[in-house]
Amino acid sequence: MYKREKRSWMKHLDFTVVDIICLQLAFIISYFIRLGLELPYSNEPYERLAVVLVLIDICVVFFMESYKGILRRNHTQELRSVVINCTTVFLGMLLYMYATKQSEVYSRQMLFVYWGLSVAFEYVVHCGLKRLIRRRLRSAKNQSVMIIVTTDELVEQCIRDFEDNRYREYVIRGIVIVDKDRQGDVIRKIPVVANADNFFDYVRTNVVDEVFINGNSISSSEALAEDLLEMGVTVHFKLVHESKMMPNKVIEECGKYMVLTSSMCIASPRQLFIKRCMDILGSLVGLVFMGIAYVVFAPLVRFQSPGPIFFSQIRMGKNGRKFKIYKFRSMDMDAEQRKQELLSENEMDGLMFKMEDDPRIFPIGKFMRKYSIDELPQFWNILKGDMSLVGTRPPTVDEFEQYKAHHRARLGIKPGLTGMWQVSGRSEIHDFEEVVKLDTQYISNWNLGLDMKILFKTIQVVLLGRGAE
């Protein structure tokens, strides 16, 4: 019997439980310090806040994936993650108190002491729990015994690949080389225990829980796997080396075939559902602001540059899908025709056009661009599903037609109203390759927490009028 690796939230249920305990302990002690030696659960407002605290923490873990890669973090990375997690929970509590108009009920001193204690408790407990988990994973008592079956050509690289995995639930006790008799040799501290002729006798007479088959011949490897399965051994059958595909991959069915699917980023249905809900809610709020902006700026646009209030253009969306993007018009009506005359003034190196003091922009248009007011109609694109709140900048058709192969990676996700490039000082970036690098970095590392971080940075950039030209 093989114990399958845990997935989703169950994988880190232990950290979720201890974090809830740490937060409650920090809450109790901070209450003691400020309000006396009695449990906060006997005080109705604080009892309610303690329950809300648990719910907020679960939501933060759910949305931000706080425990991703937790065993690989060093002490500095762990402290940074804990501070972000505890601060987000703390801000969630403040938001709850503000929304329910209960701010004056709670002690500010108690809340700030709680925040400091929560960081300290979570950090200490995380470091301790990780040490216990790592020790358990390295204990031979808790590990399965694995044998590697490979060829003489591939054996060195195969062993090195397994050495990189420090936290595993198996121990490699032997190597079987099928195309050469090297029995008795030791390769990178692991003995060669059998060859093709006596391999099954070795499995029959020794402790072997799992066998990893690392071969180039699919047919012979499948035949070997079938024989091992009949002996009750768990078989791991190599499909492809990680270096040949993106690190994000999943095994699934495609027609009548079992396939290894790989992509720059693989998102779960839950994550995509939440992202779409965020888009819908955000677009509805944004359309309200767009209506207000229309009332204020439409007359000014019409006065300074006669013509339509809105500007529309065909842009390229996810994987080359065309859609019509909408903006408040901030340029003169002949802007597209005059663009050809200004190409020599382009400040970007590559397939984008950007120019400081663009003469095609009329005065109120400059103000609208500085504070990204001209982008507000794109909330309609988001509501329709053409765009997302966070994504990559959608290129024009003529830009897309000049793309090289690696540039197309930018279109691997829905285009966004904002994104990594927009909050990374876009006015200071003059190399299109740097834009591509930021966009592909966003796609490869995408999660809901990253979207939230970019949205908060976007609000800061817009309010300060930074980064737009």
Side-chain angles (χ1 to χ4, degrees):
M1 180 181 292
Y2 175 64
K3 183 180 72 172
R4 190 175 181 180
E5 183 182 355
K6 295 178 183 177
R7 298 293 180 186
S8 69
W9 62 274
M10 282 294 293
K11 185 174 182 179
H12 296 300
L13 182 60
D14 46 0
F15 282 97
T16 304
V17 172
V18 298
D19 278 358
I20 290 174
I21 294 173
C22 286
L23 294 180
Q24 291 296 313
L25 184 60
F27 190 78
I28 292 171
I29 294 177
S30 61
Y31 186 90
F32 285 170
I33 293 173
R34 181 65 182 89
L35 299 171
L37 295 177
E38 64 174 356
L39 289 175
Y41 310 114
S42 60
N43 188 328
E44 184 178 347
Y46 285 92
E47 179 186 23
R48 187 164 55 246
L49 187 60
V51 175
V52 171
L53 173 61
V54 174
L55 299 177
I56 293 174
D57 180 61
I58 293 173
C59 288
V60 169
V61 170
F62 185 81
F63 284 109
M64 298 185 65
E65 300 181 348
S66 306
Y67 306 131
K68 187 175 182 180
I70 190 169
L71 292 180
R72 295 189 294 272
R73 296 177 193 158
N74 58 34
H75 291 301
T76 303
Q77 292 170 330
E78 187 60 45
L79 179 60
R80 178 177 176 274
S81 177
V82 166
V83 170
I84 291 174
N85 184 74
C86 292
T87 302
T88 306
V89 173
F90 178 70
L91 293 175
M93 292 171 59
L94 296 183
L95 182 62
Y96 160 76
M97 289 185 288
Y98 174 78
T100 57
K101 299 181 180 180
Q102 299 182 68
S103 304
E104 70 283 353
V105 175
Y106 301 102
S107 165
R108 293 180 178 84
Q109 180 183 343
M110 178 261 177
L111 292 174
F112 281 102
V113 170
Y114 152 77
W115 175 81
L117 290 176
S118 67
V119 171
F121 289 168
E122 275 200 11
Y123 178 70
V124 171
V125 171
H126 278 202
C127 290
L129 183 56
K130 287 199 297 183
R131 179 173 294 184
L132 290 174
I133 293 174
R134 289 166 178 168
R135 185 180 299 170
R136 180 184 63 80
L137 290 176
R138 291 171 178 160
S139 171
K141 179 181 178 181
N142 297 308
Q143 292 179 322
S144 297
V145 174
M146 178 185 282
I147 300 298
I148 293 177
V149 179
T150 185
T151 62
D152 187 57
E153 177 187 1
L154 302 175
V155 63
E156 287 278 351
Q157 182 60 50
C158 183
I159 300 302
R160 281 197 295 268
D161 291 339
F162 277 97
E163 287 174 347
D164 294 336
N165 186 2
R166 297 172 57 195
Y167 308 116
R168 58 196 184 197
E169 297 188 356
Y170 54 85
V171 57
I172 300 173
R173 289 283 174 79
I175 305 168
V176 178
I177 299 178
V178 295
D179 61 344
K180 190 174 181 179
D181 187 3
R182 294 185 58 181
Q183 189 171 349
D185 289 354
V186 177
I187 303 174
R188 303 186 71 85
K189 300 181 180 180
I190 301 177
V192 179
V193 296
N195 53 42
D197 295 329
N198 59 10
F199 170 48
F200 288 107
D201 284 336
Y202 179 86
V203 174
R204 182 175 56 83
T205 58
N206 289 271
V207 176
V208 177
D209 299 306
E210 306 174 31
V211 173
F212 175 79
I213 301 176
N214 178 45
N216 291 325
S217 173
I218 298 297
S219 58
S220 61
S221 296
E222 286 181 344
L224 177 60
E226 289 178 3
D227 292 337
L228 288 169
L229 289 171
E230 289 182 359
M231 299 176 71
V233 177
T234 298
V235 178
H236 303 283
F237 183 66
K238 188 197 81 169
L239 296 177
V240 66
H241 193 278
E242 183 176 278
S243 63
K244 296 181 181 178
M245 300 185 77
M246 291 292 177
N248 302 298
K249 53 184 132 355
V250 64
I251 294 177
E252 57 185 8
E253 291 183 6
C254 185
K256 293 185 177 181
Y257 295 91
M258 186 66 70
V259 298
L260 181 67
T261 301
S262 181
S263 179
M264 290 179 67
C265 179
I266 295 179
S268 67
R270 181 202 74 186
Q271 290 175 312
L272 294 178
F273 173 76
I274 296 172
K275 183 174 176 65
R276 183 58 185 151
C277 287
M278 290 170 57
D279 287 344
I280 293 173
L281 292 175
S283 62
L284 292 174
V285 174
L287 287 172
V288 173
F289 285 100
M290 189 204 76
I292 297 172
Y294 181 86
V295 172
V296 175
F297 290 98
L300 298 174
V301 171
R302 186 67 60 86
F303 175 76
Q304 293 189 0
S305 178
I309 305 301
F310 295 102
F311 167 78
S312 64
Q313 187 182 46
I314 299 298
R315 293 288 184 96
M316 307 305 293
K318 183 178 179 182
N319 290 324
R321 292 173 175 83
K322 293 183 179 180
F323 71 99
K324 185 179 287 189
I325 195 172
Y326 298 95
K327 294 185 177 184
F328 281 125
R329 186 168 61 86
S330 58
M331 290 184 171
D332 294 329
M333 291 296 296
D334 59 349
E336 285 302 308
Q337 291 76 14
R338 293 170 61 189
K339 179 180 177 180
Q340 299 300 319
E341 304 171 6
L342 300 170
L343 289 178
S344 60
E345 304 290 332
N346 187 11
E347 299 173 4
M348 289 291 294
D349 297 327
L351 305 177
M352 286 177 63
F353 182 84
K354 185 170 68 171
M355 177 182 176
E356 188 174 2
D357 296 325
D358 192 326
R360 300 173 298 165
I361 305 175
F362 48 82
I364 194 61
K366 291 183 178 180
F367 177 84
M368 294 167 68
R369 285 186 164 222
K370 180 178 181 180
Y371 293 98
S372 300
I373 297 170
D374 62 315
E375 309 279 357
L376 290 175
Q378 291 176 42
F379 282 113
W380 175 245
N381 291 114
I382 296 172
L383 185 62
K384 288 170 59 183
D386 297 326
M387 296 176 62
S388 180
L389 289 175
V390 185
T392 60
R393 173 190 174 274
T396 61
V397 175
D398 61 319
E399 289 173 352
F400 176 75
E401 289 175 348
Q402 301 176 64
Y403 271 14
K404 297 179 180 178
H406 71 282
H407 294 154
R408 194 183 184 281
R410 300 183 64 242
L411 304 179
I413 199 169
K414 277 186 182 180
L417 180 65
T418 185
M420 190 81 80
W421 169 60
Q422 288 89 331
V423 299
S424 300
R426 62 181 179 180
S427 293
E428 287 75 39
I429 297 176
H430 299 282
D431 187 354
F432 178 65
E433 295 298 333
E434 183 65 22
V435 176
V436 174
K437 180 180 177 182
L438 287 170
D439 285 341
T440 53
Q441 177 185 337
Y442 165 74
I443 297 172
S444 299
N445 299 291
W446 178 82
N447 58 59
L448 294 168
L450 180 59
D451 271 9
M452 295 298 294
K453 186 184 300 184
I454 291 174
L455 286 172
F456 283 124
K457 284 188 177 180
T458 300
I459 294 173
Q460 180 183 3
V461 168
V462 170
L463 292 178
L464 297 178
R466 295 203 310 254
E469 289 185 356

